[in-house]
Every structure is written in C-alpha cells, then in structure tokens.
Amino acid sequence: MAHKLTTTESLTLFVLASSSFGILANTFHGDGEPLIASLAFSGIGFAATYSLVRWLGGVFMAANIKGKDMSKVRKVEIPEGMGAVCAIVYLLTIIVFIPFPFYKDIVAATSGGGNRDVVIEVHQIETGRFLHRFPHSKLASYLSAILSLQSVVLLGIGDDLFDIRWRHKFFIPAFASIPILVVYFVDFGVTQVVVPVPLQGYFGVELLNLGWLYYVYMAAIAIFCPNCINILAGVNGIEVSQSLVIAVLLLINDLLYLAPITSYPHPATDSHLFSIYLLLPFIGVSLALWWHNWYPAKVFVGDTYCYFAGMIFAIVGILGHFSKTLLLLFIPQIFNFLYSVPQLSHMVPCPRHRLPRFNARTGLLEPSMTVWERPPSKLIATMLHLLHKVKLLRVEVSPKGDIVESSNFTILNLWLVWFGPMREDHLAMSILAFQSICGVMALLVRHKLALLVFRQDNRAFGSMA
C-alpha cells in the first residue's frame, strides 16, 4: 500500500474537508443546527481517517503492528490494528461536536451568552448563570458515552498489542458500560417491559417491572455487541461492512421518529437525535476505513474496531431507549454466536483462528475444518452427524466411521457449506446481503407486525422501545 495520498485523493479530501468546515461555520448563524453539524463532522472524520490510515501505515509496519493476509496466494504483510486510528478520530470528532447540540441552550440559558435583549433582574445577576435551565441530563448522556467508548477502545488497543486471552477480555465491556448505565438510572430509570397481548392474561399486567434484572440485560448487551462483531470476522472487509449496514439501518429507524415522517413532535425525538449524532460521524470514519479494508485489503482493522463499533451500537441502544429494536438488527450476529457456542464452550475443539480455508489452487475459500485428535463422545458424535444431515455442518469420517474432521462453527464456514467454495469478496457480499435483508425485515417486524402482539407501535405512542 502506498503511504502517500495521490494528487486526486488529496484534492478530493481537501474539498470535502473545506466544505465541511464551511458548513460548520454557517451553522452558528442559526441555532447551531446540530444535525447539519453532525453531517459536516462525518465528512471531516472521513477525510481525517482516510488520510491518517494512509500516512500511518508505514509507521505501524515499522512498529511490527502487522499481519499476513492468509486468504491470498501471496501472503503479504499489511498494517494491522488500523481500527485504533478510526476510533481515535471518532472520539476527537464527537468531543469537538459536544457544543453544537447545546448551542441554543448555551446562548439562551446563560447570562451574557448572546441573550442581550433579555432584561436581567438584580437577584438573577447575583445568582449568576441560569444553569438550572441547561439540559444537564443530555450532556451527561454524551459524556458517559464518550467515557464508555474510551474505555472499550483502550481494551481493543491492548488486545491488538498484547493478544489478551478471550476469557480475560470477555466481560470488560460490561465495566465500560457502567457510565451509561448510571446515566440511564438517573435520567430515565425505566425498567418495565411491555408484555405481549397474548401473554398479559398469564402475567396479569400490561407492563412487567424487571427491576435490577433490566440493568443486567443492558450490561449483557454491552458485552454482546462488541464481542459479536469480533466473532463474525475472518475475511476482508466483513467487520467494517457489517457495522456500516447496522449503522445505516439504525439511522433509518431513527429517522422514522423525526418530522416530517411523524405528524407531531414525538416524545422519543431527543433520544433518536442523540443516536443520529453518534451514528453519522461513525459512518464517516468507518467508510474511510472500509475503503482500505475491503478486498483486497490494504490494512487490517484489528480488534479495536470491533469493540469500538459494537460499543457504539450498545450506547445508542441503551441511551436511545431502543435496545430491543437494536437486537432485532443483530439477527445474523446472534445466530453466529449461538451457532459458535459448541466451540466457544469447548464441547468441540476450537482452534485459534476459525476463518475459512484458502485453496491456493482454485483461489477460492472453503470451509475450514477442526481436526479431532480422538473420536468425540457418542453424544457429541450424534449431534455432529445430525447437524451434518440437516446441512448445518460438514463432517469427515474415517473408514471405521469415526469423526476425524468437522467444519468450524461460524456463519462464514456454514455459508460455504451451503453454497460451495467462493471468492473472498463474493462471500463477504453474500453475508452483507443477508445482513441487509434481515435488517430490513427486522424493521418491518418492529414497526408493522409488532402490532399483532402489542397494542401500538411506539412511533405513535410513548417512548419505550
């Protein structure tokens, strides 16, 4: 990979960054226009990430932060851990963005902040600024989101540098989620879930209060989202691409709650604006990283990006109050996690890497296989044979009938079992098409078919997801 920008790239990024800065400057003539400012920041984030990934590639290689692309004939070394660059640019971007959502509040709610036409009484001057009018709860949401993201980015960087063992890092995102859970408790505190109409007769209530279990559930989301992105990996571009698909689907869900789509100011408008403010810059920096990570990859994203992306989704789901909607968009990741449980729990041997096997002769990817050094128990063997019979696994047996190999339990290998060997980019595009179809269907289920089991869709009433 060239470590310098071409003339065309430099001019294009310069025009994009200049236009974005011009849009930002123009927002101060109104009320700050945070939505437009967030869009401008996404452009700046794209330009910064694209440039830094290119410029720092040689630095990472010199520091021995590199890896071999095992799914190529020529297994060249390329920079690894570039997700850290993407994450740091994003963090700096949303930190600088903080004043924009509160520009109107800062001007209108503080003395001397531009409200010169307001007559200020003596007792008001003595008490100083009218800080009681400032939306501290909204600011706390942003700051807690930044704190949680910083914590999980540190985990990712540490994992990329020191290859932390799975059992040691699995629960760390739960600790990183503590700031957002505290803000949720103080600012919102709702721990009730709507009981489906057919089940209300059994529970005797329409709203079921889960109490502290609801916080365990949200902590579990904070653990699941980063780790599930990290599990569904192994081919060029798949980590960033699946994150972009999920982010765009979440953005579509957020837009459904904003005017003019809704006929009146919705109670959940602020929550979904908060989500949009975090997602737009994320899409910007991720697109720049995707440009370098798509087949044939010029850089690897590393674990940092997986944890960073997953935590953003967890944050917008928890603080945006649509965590259950979020999980509907993770159907492929949930399936991949459940499908991987036999290996993650070591019922089946689990190799260090489970990425598909590259066939150098054909140039195609094939299902990677786990070697059984000794035959599995009768129960495990029966399970594997059953999965093989229903096309959920590939099993190889010895002349004696003992299982000697079985395909690894990931959705990537399963896809190759179903559809045969594929080129790497074709496999990635197939999985992304599946992700997109599942996501669109999930939104339809959430906002249309849900009316079959719930009394109303929350786009028309209330603010709970």
Side-chain angles (χ1 to χ4, degrees), residues 107-175:
V107 171
T110 60
S111 60
N115 51 339
R116 297 183 179 87
D117 297 331
V118 179
V119 177
I120 303 176
E121 302 294 337
V122 176
H123 73 276
Q124 292 175 330
I125 295 176
E126 290 174 351
T127 57
R129 295 180 173 185
F130 309 145
L131 295 182
H132 61 283
R133 300 181 186 175
F134 189 85
H136 292 91
S137 59
K138 290 169 63 177
L139 178 59
S141 296
Y142 283 95
L143 297 180
S144 65
I146 292 171
L147 185 57
S148 292
L149 282 172
Q150 287 175 334
S151 301
V152 85
V153 167
L154 287 176
L155 164 64
I157 294 174
D159 193 16
D160 284 334
L161 292 177
F162 306 113
D163 196 17
I164 303 172
R165 295 182 69 84
W166 183 266
R167 62 176 177 268
H168 296 152
K169 65 185 179 183
F170 184 80
F171 293 101
I172 293 180
F175 294 99

Side-chain angles (χ1 to χ4, degrees), residues 353-414:
H353 296 290
R354 299 184 297 161
L355 66 160
R357 184 177 70 87
F358 177 69
N359 188 325
R361 185 176 59 83
T362 62
L364 302 177
L365 295 181
E366 301 173 350
S368 61
M369 308 295 286
T370 291
V371 177
W372 289 84
E373 296 180 357
R374 54 183 180 181
S377 65
K378 187 175 181 179
L379 178 61
I380 299 297
T382 302
M383 179 191 75
L384 296 178
H385 281 299
L386 178 61
L387 291 175
H388 175 75
K389 184 174 293 187
V390 296
K391 303 296 184 182
L392 289 176
L393 198 68
R394 177 173 294 174
V395 169
E396 301 290 342
V397 297
S398 68
K400 296 181 179 180
D402 295 329
I403 294 177
V404 293
E405 286 186 335
S406 59
S407 56
N408 283 307
F409 287 74
T410 70
I411 193 173
L412 296 176
N413 288 301
L414 178 60

Side-chain angles (χ1 to χ4, degrees), residues 38-94:
S38 181
L39 190 60
F41 271 112
S42 68
I44 295 171
F46 176 91
T49 304
Y50 192 102
S51 302
L52 287 172
V53 167
R54 187 67 62 82
W55 293 336
L56 294 177
V59 177
F60 276 54
M61 292 286 287
N64 202 35
I65 307 175
K66 56 188 178 181
K68 289 183 179 180
D69 195 340
M70 303 303 293
S71 298
K72 305 292 186 296
V73 175
R74 294 179 61 251
K75 295 175 173 52
V76 296
E77 292 184 332
I78 57 178
E80 193 169 14
M82 279 296 175
V85 176
C86 176
I88 291 172
V89 170
Y90 176 84
L91 284 169
L92 293 175
T93 300
I94 61 171

